[in-house]
Every structure is written in structure tokens, then in C-alpha cells.
Amino acid sequence: MTASADATPTLHRKRLIIAITGATGVIYGIRLLQVLRDIAGVETHLLISEAGVLNLHQELDMKRKDVEALADVVHNVRDVGAAIASGSFQSDGMIIAPCSMKTLAAVAHGFSDNLISRAADVVLKERRRLVLMVRETPFNLAHLRNMTAVTEMGGIIFPPLPGFYHRPASIAEMVDHTTGRVLDLFDIQHSLTPRWNGLKD
């Protein structure tokens, strides 16, 4: 599909907006798209910033077209007149994976300078779920205050920090664990990672 796809959702079909920005960790956005592509009843709308495209090359040797092929609908990040820029566009929410500090600041201050921050602003104002997989370390005070502002507006700050209690054997398993936890926030069933069943004796 293209960005001109019908704005009316199919009955009972989930719609998720996935944005990839210039922070390190583009694998999280890619993995989300790969998993969601194989789940029936989920429609993905993709946005990639210019810095995000650079990181696709740097971290994964991927091209923009390879990533766009994973989504149902692709939007130009500069097209602030796109369907997802309106509150009338029905979605189940948005995931920014990864989320740069620049994008975090734009969301925190309502600075809708491109379609990513505008779509996030729409998701917040319509009281839908917004998840920001923020990537930076260490955080300075501006980062922390921006994360607080987004949280106070109803957004979820989700740094992609790996868990080790399930004893991952590879980077792929760590990525899948984090990806699965994000999907849990949208009540999307998956089998990416084992569930916690308590400490073993």
C-alpha cells in the first residue's frame, strides 16, 4: 500500500504507526515491522526520518526500500498533510523505535515540525498509546525533563534495556525480548520470548 490507502480501518483490525528516527537501535523498529507483518489483523504505517535512513545503512546495511517493504503503508516524513496527521485517523497508537533525543524533545514540547512528531502529538491528544523507545546514555537533565513531560501527557517511555533473567544466548534474543514487551503494551499476542514464571529453586 501507499500513503494514499483508505483511511477507514478494516473491522477489528489493529492499526499501528511505527516511526524510525536517528538514534542507534534501528533493529527495534525493523523487528517490530517483521513481527507485525506476520500477525494477522495488524496494519502498520511507517515513517523513517532522514537520520533513521543513515542508521539503517550504518547498523544493518539496509536500504530504505527494504524497510518500506515490511510495512502496509508508508508515509513521507515531510508530508504533514498525511492521513495520520489528523485525529480523525483511527489507530491503536504509535511506537517510535528508536526514539532520538531530538524527537523526544519535539514530542515533549508539541513541536510538530515533521510527520513523526505531528503523528505523536495526534496520538497523545486523542488519548491513544504512544511508546517512545528512547536511546541515549547517559541522560542529561533536558532528556529527563522531556521524558517526564511525555509521561505526564500519557506517553510511555520505554528505553530498550535488555533483560538477562531469561538468559539470552544472542543479540537477536535480547532484541526479541524487548520487542515482545512493547507488543504486550498493545495487547498483541506473540511468542517472541518466554514468560516469567517466577524464580526457580
Side-chain angles (χ1 to χ4, degrees):
M1 276 189 207
T2 66
S4 61
D6 186 1
T8 304
T10 304
L11 188 63
H12 303 307
R13 194 176 197 196
K14 280 186 178 289
R15 271 182 165 175
L16 286 179
I17 302 166
I18 307 293
I20 296 175
T21 69
T24 187
V26 291
I27 184 60
Y28 294 106
I30 300 303
R31 191 65 182 127
L32 280 165
L33 290 168
Q34 290 172 337
V35 173
L36 292 171
R37 177 188 57 183
D38 295 331
I39 296 177
V42 178
E43 178 182 291
T44 55
H45 288 249
L46 174 64
L47 293 154
I48 309 175
S49 72
E50 293 304 315
V53 172
L54 291 177
N55 269 0
L56 289 173
H57 295 300
Q58 175 67 27
E59 298 182 2
L60 300 175
D61 290 323
M62 293 185 72
K63 298 179 180 178
R64 180 197 294 266
K65 64 179 182 180
D66 300 324
V67 181
E68 292 180 344
L70 298 173
D72 293 299
V73 183
V74 177
H75 300 275
N76 188 313
V77 72
R78 293 184 294 274
D79 184 11
V80 292
I84 60 175
S86 171
S88 65
F89 178 86
Q90 294 180 294
S91 78
D92 292 272
M94 180 176 183
I95 306 167
I96 305 181
C99 181
S100 66
M101 292 299 102
K102 176 183 177 182
T103 299
L104 167 67
V107 175
H109 296 279
F111 187 52
S112 301
D113 59 329
N114 61 34
L115 188 55
I116 293 176
S117 55
R118 171 56 188 170
D121 187 69
V122 167
V123 167
L124 286 175
K125 80 182 183 69
E126 298 295 329
R127 305 300 191 267
R128 297 166 186 156
R129 180 143 289 183
L130 174 66
V131 177
L132 306 186
M133 297 181 72
V134 295
R135 268 295 303 125
E136 185 59 275
T137 189
F139 296 125
N140 66 33
L141 185 56
H143 303 154
L144 294 169
R145 284 177 171 165
N146 287 336
M147 285 187 273
T148 297
V150 170
T151 300
E152 290 174 339
M153 289 187 282
I156 296 175
I157 301 299
F158 194 116
L161 303 175
F164 296 97
Y165 53 84
H166 61 297
R167 300 189 179 184
S170 65
I171 293 176
E173 286 188 10
M174 289 190 285
V175 170
D176 275 359
H177 181 264
T178 297
T179 301
R181 296 284 287 114
V182 170
L183 293 178
D184 286 345
L185 294 173
F186 291 89
D187 296 321
I188 295 175
Q189 296 300 310
H190 63 86
S191 57
L192 290 175
T193 186
R195 298 292 177 182
W196 175 250
N197 290 314
L199 290 173
K200 299 178 181 179
D201 294 330

